[in-house]
Amino acid sequence: MSEVAFEVLRSEALAPKKHAYSRDLRGRYVSSEKSFSWLLKYPSVADWIDSYTSEETREKKLYQLEKILQAGGLKEPSELLKLDERNVKLLTRRVANWYLQKGKAVWAKQIMITMKGFMEANDRKLEFKRAERIRSPVRKKVIYEYIPNKMDVYRMANNAVSIRNRTVLLCLFQAGVRVSCLCNWNFGLVKDQLYPEIRVPIRIKVSPAMDTKLNLYGLSYYMTGLQQEAAESLRDYLDMRTRGGWIPQLLDPIFVTERTGGPESRLRRESVDDRKERGEKNRDQTRVNMGPLLPQELQEGPERDTTDRRGHQRGIDGAQASRVQRELL
């Protein structure tokens, strides 16, 4: 591989990403055309990449293939297929070693996996010996992981700084779906069950279009639902968006980003000092406006023992609850 090709690869890898100023329906920035889009016009690439259903996986593999072509000074994927196995392996190892020197062992391993899949999809063999393979480092937990229980989730929902945050917490907890699945919920999914009156349980049919990992389990869909607390919070959030000028359409996403200037971004604009001074006041006002979300049986039940056998206090206080809430969002 030439030094010029490596310099091009290095400059593009370290260059800052540019974002377009247009936004999608969820309020997120819409990126411009991908640098690897030109690869899709070649049948050898299109037939190979169509075997992957996840959009994120497709983009990563196309990006990795583009870096291989650039590092080798190749203009078309057909030129890569014309190389013998030794030269393809040598080119792949050099690019992988370059990422390895940058401390990106996982990315280097993915480069080799992508190249092997691309070559095999085009009836070419690419095998790496045991000594040539890159092993990912063992993952070690560097922080203590706390899994909130039912009481903790309702405490976080009671202390949420906005209706949107409270709704996200309750929907994730009661529906048991992934965050990526929740982002794909649209208004038509719950319209007839929330209006004109709430009918619980709110039935949610999760399809592969909402959760891309559903195909891994061999399921065409599965059913989940929301109870009274999440249903009421979801309706309050939709009503708030409607009062802000949103005209609901069946395919509109339910959860959007908190844009600057909207009612949801009021607390975000406050400085850290103002939040510290008025933290207790805002928290109390939030409780008054939103009301308690703990179910009746949990409110009236006996206080659970929060002390372990070593005499240490279990559970989380208000500050820890806010930190866990931010991590979940």
Side-chain angles (χ1 to χ4, degrees), residues 7-24:
E7 287 298 330
V8 173
L9 181 63
R10 182 182 295 106
S11 61
E12 293 190 358
L14 301 178
K17 296 182 179 180
K18 299 180 180 179
H19 298 281
Y21 290 97
S22 59
R23 293 176 180 264
D24 59 6

Side-chain angles (χ1 to χ4, degrees), residues 49-114:
I49 205 62
D50 285 343
S51 61
Y52 300 96
T53 57
S54 173
E55 187 66 24
E56 182 179 359
T57 303
R58 291 166 58 93
E59 291 183 357
K60 284 184 177 180
K61 291 192 174 295
L62 288 172
Y63 177 82
Q64 292 162 359
L65 179 61
E66 180 191 29
K67 294 307 174 187
I68 291 288
L69 295 177
Q70 290 179 352
L74 306 176
K75 297 182 179 180
E76 297 182 1
S78 59
E79 298 180 9
L80 178 64
L81 296 174
K82 292 178 181 179
L83 300 178
D84 55 21
E85 182 180 357
R86 180 181 177 279
N87 288 328
V88 173
K89 184 188 297 185
L90 184 60
L91 175 61
T92 305
R93 282 288 302 177
R94 286 179 176 175
V95 176
N97 288 337
W98 185 86
Y99 281 105
L100 194 61
Q101 295 299 323
K102 295 295 182 180
K104 302 179 180 180
V106 176
W107 194 256
K109 184 178 180 179
Q110 289 296 323
I111 286 282
M112 301 178 69
I113 294 175
T114 297

Side-chain angles (χ1 to χ4, degrees), residues 111 135 253 284:
I111 286 282
R135 294 173 177 80
D284 295 339

Side-chain angles (χ1 to χ4, degrees), residues 288-299:
V288 172
N289 294 338
M290 296 184 180
L293 291 172
L294 287 176
Q296 192 68 22
E297 62 272 13
L298 294 180
Q299 295 183 31

Side-chain angles (χ1 to χ4, degrees), residues 3 9 32 37 56 75 86 106 109 164 166-167 201 217 235 260 322:
E3 295 182 0
L9 181 63
S32 58
S37 300
E56 182 179 359
K75 297 182 179 180
R86 180 181 177 279
V106 176
K109 184 178 180 179
R164 175 182 178 272
R166 181 187 67 171
T167 306
Y217 306 108
R235 178 166 174 171
T260 304
S322 300

Side-chain angles (χ1 to χ4, degrees), residues 54-307:
S54 173
E55 187 66 24
E56 182 179 359
T57 303
R58 291 166 58 93
E59 291 183 357
K60 284 184 177 180
K61 291 192 174 295
L62 288 172
Y63 177 82
Q64 292 162 359
L65 179 61
E66 180 191 29
K67 294 307 174 187
I68 291 288
L69 295 177
Q70 290 179 352
L74 306 176
K75 297 182 179 180
E76 297 182 1
S78 59
E79 298 180 9
L80 178 64
L81 296 174
K82 292 178 181 179
L83 300 178
D84 55 21
E85 182 180 357
R86 180 181 177 279
N87 288 328
V88 173
K89 184 188 297 185
L90 184 60
L91 175 61
T92 305
R93 282 288 302 177
R94 286 179 176 175
V95 176
N97 288 337
W98 185 86
Y99 281 105
L100 194 61
Q101 295 299 323
K102 295 295 182 180
K104 302 179 180 180
V106 176
W107 194 256
K109 184 178 180 179
Q110 289 296 323
I111 286 282
M112 301 178 69
I113 294 175
T114 297
M115 278 303 301
K116 183 178 180 180
F118 174 72
M119 298 300 290
E120 291 180 351
N122 289 275
D123 298 328
R124 292 290 306 278
K125 183 179 180 181
L126 183 62
E127 295 290 343
F128 294 96
K129 298 179 181 179
R130 184 180 182 88
E132 296 175 335
R133 298 172 187 171
I134 298 177
R135 294 173 177 80
S136 301
V138 179
R139 294 183 179 180
K140 297 181 180 180
K141 287 188 177 181
V142 295
I143 60 173
Y144 176 75
E145 182 181 10
Y146 182 86
I147 301 177
N149 54 30
K150 188 174 184 179
M151 292 288 291
D152 296 332
V153 172
Y154 280 109
R155 288 195 190 101
M156 287 189 292
N158 279 333
N159 289 277
V161 296
S162 65
I163 298 179
R164 175 182 178 272
N165 292 352
R166 181 187 67 171
T167 306
V168 169
L169 283 170
L170 292 176
C171 288
L172 286 175
F173 174 68
Q174 294 191 357
V177 297
R178 297 182 177 89
V179 175
S180 59
C181 176
L182 188 69
C183 293
N184 290 327
W185 287 11
N186 56 46
F187 180 68
L189 197 65
V190 297
K191 173 181 176 295
D192 296 333
Q193 303 180 75
L194 292 179
Y195 300 96
E197 59 182 17
I198 298 177
R199 294 183 296 172
V200 292
I202 305 296
R203 300 182 181 274
I204 306 294
K205 183 178 180 180
V206 179
S207 62
M210 299 181 188
D211 191 348
T212 56
K213 292 188 177 181
L214 203 60
N215 294 326
L216 301 178
Y217 306 108
L219 299 175
S220 58
Y221 71 93
Y222 70 87
M223 301 296 298
T224 184
L226 303 175
Q227 296 301 322
Q228 189 69 30
E229 301 86 10
E232 292 178 355
S233 181
L234 181 57
R235 178 166 174 171
D236 292 342
Y237 172 65
L238 293 175
D239 291 343
M240 183 203 68
R241 288 189 59 194
T242 304
R243 291 193 299 270
W246 173 54
I247 302 177
Q249 302 294 330
L250 294 181
L251 297 181
D252 287 350
I254 292 179
F255 297 99
V256 297
T257 56
E258 299 176 353
R259 299 190 180 188
T260 304
E264 289 289 306
S265 62
R266 177 179 57 82
L267 293 178
R268 291 181 179 270
R269 294 197 305 268
E270 296 180 353
S271 64
V272 176
D273 295 336
D274 292 339
R275 290 192 186 185
K276 288 182 179 179
E277 294 177 1
R278 298 187 291 173
E280 294 298 329
K281 181 179 178 180
N282 288 340
R283 192 176 299 112
D284 295 339
Q285 186 66 28
T286 301
R287 290 196 185 99
V288 172
N289 294 338
M290 296 184 180
L293 291 172
L294 287 176
Q296 192 68 22
E297 62 272 13
L298 294 180
Q299 295 183 31
E300 300 177 355
E303 185 69 21
R304 63 188 180 96
D305 184 16
T306 60
T307 306

